[in-house]
Amino acid sequence: MKLDPEHPPGSDDYYLGIALAVRRKANCTGNRVAAVIVKNKRVISTGYNGVPEGMKNCLAGGCLRCSNPNGQFPTGTAYDLCICVHAEQNALLAAARFGIAVEGAHMYVTMQPCFGCAKELVQAKISKVSYLHPWVPTDVDPVMDKAKKAEYEKILAKFNIEHLDSFQDPVASWAVTSMRNLLPPPAVKAKRAHKKKV
């Protein structure tokens, strides 16, 4: 997305840009995600991922799974222990709290909805989902991996879904765990910087 004062952004750039701004509030040690629900060309609800209201923030150690003491929860496990609420869920719940109907709405989300959120979007009758970063269910067991992907595709077939792959995320390495893990640890960066000064 490039700023051009002569030409206002298209709908996708505009609403995904709002989602990126909302995502700045995400409070999770994992993927940082935001969702924006649009109906009749109006934003009707937003949400970002983090712990339920009134609880200790994830980044402050509020979620046991996310703090992952001693690395006891391998990637992709113990989601039933995680107390964080996903961005899509928070957007749907905020709309419900204020009595705003979401049926037929379009959701913009910074990451493709997970298995659980996708089911909830179908149930809420969201008609279209546009996402920035892809997400696919996985399992170490090849048979279960194939089954998860097949079931996930069944759910996605219930609404229109599109990957906004031409949109550039300026802080993807902050927001997406798999991209963050590609960066050297902060201590390594600090040592390199220190060596250059000496």
Side-chain angles (χ1 to χ4, degrees), residues 101-150:
V102 299
E103 184 172 353
H106 183 166
M107 178 178 278
Y108 286 85
V109 64
T110 59
M111 181 167 280
Q112 185 173 344
C114 72
F115 204 100
C117 286
K119 290 188 292 185
E120 291 160 12
L121 296 175
V122 170
Q123 194 69 2
K125 300 203 179 295
I126 295 292
S127 64
K128 184 175 183 180
V129 174
S130 298
Y131 66 91
L132 178 56
H133 296 289
W135 178 90
V136 178
T138 59
D139 197 283
V140 292
D141 175 5
V143 174
M144 184 57 74
D145 185 71
K146 185 176 179 181
K148 279 185 178 179
K149 286 176 170 59

Side-chain angles (χ1 to χ4, degrees), residues 152-173:
Y152 183 62
E153 287 301 319
K154 277 199 259 184
I155 296 165
L156 296 186
K158 294 295 184 181
F159 51 79
N160 185 0
I161 187 162
E162 69 174 336
H163 181 197
L164 300 176
D165 55 355
S166 64
F167 195 95
Q168 297 298 312
D169 184 348
V171 290
S173 61

Side-chain angles (χ1 to χ4, degrees), residues 20-190:
L20 290 177
V22 171
R23 184 180 66 183
R24 292 172 59 198
K25 291 284 286 177
N27 193 298
C28 186
T29 60
N31 291 313
R32 292 159 184 153
V33 183
V36 172
I37 302 176
V38 177
K39 191 170 183 180
N40 300 324
K41 299 183 181 180
R42 297 287 182 265
V43 173
I44 60 170
S45 187
T46 66
Y48 55 87
N49 61 329
V51 298
E53 190 173 336
M55 297 184 75
K56 186 177 180 182
N57 281 330
C58 186
L59 293 174
C63 176
L64 177 64
R65 184 201 178 268
C66 290
S67 63
N68 198 8
N70 305 314
Q72 61 187 323
F73 309 123
T75 300
T77 67
Y79 285 118
D80 54 337
L81 185 63
C82 183
I83 64 169
C84 291
V85 182
H86 288 194
E88 300 94 325
Q89 294 169 322
N90 268 325
L92 292 173
L93 292 168
R97 181 190 291 181
F98 297 108
I100 302 168
V102 299
E103 184 172 353
H106 183 166
M107 178 178 278
Y108 286 85
V109 64
T110 59
M111 181 167 280
Q112 185 173 344
C114 72
F115 204 100
C117 286
K119 290 188 292 185
E120 291 160 12
L121 296 175
V122 170
Q123 194 69 2
K125 300 203 179 295
I126 295 292
S127 64
K128 184 175 183 180
V129 174
S130 298
Y131 66 91
L132 178 56
H133 296 289
W135 178 90
V136 178
T138 59
D139 197 283
V140 292
D141 175 5
V143 174
M144 184 57 74
D145 185 71
K146 185 176 179 181
K148 279 185 178 179
K149 286 176 170 59
E151 291 299 296
Y152 183 62
E153 287 301 319
K154 277 199 259 184
I155 296 165
L156 296 186
K158 294 295 184 181
F159 51 79
N160 185 0
I161 187 162
E162 69 174 336
H163 181 197
L164 300 176
D165 55 355
S166 64
F167 195 95
Q168 297 298 312
D169 184 348
V171 290
S173 61
W174 169 81
V176 182
T177 305
S178 61
M179 294 181 181
R180 191 178 322 134
N181 292 340
L182 297 175
L183 298 174
V188 174
K189 283 184 183 177

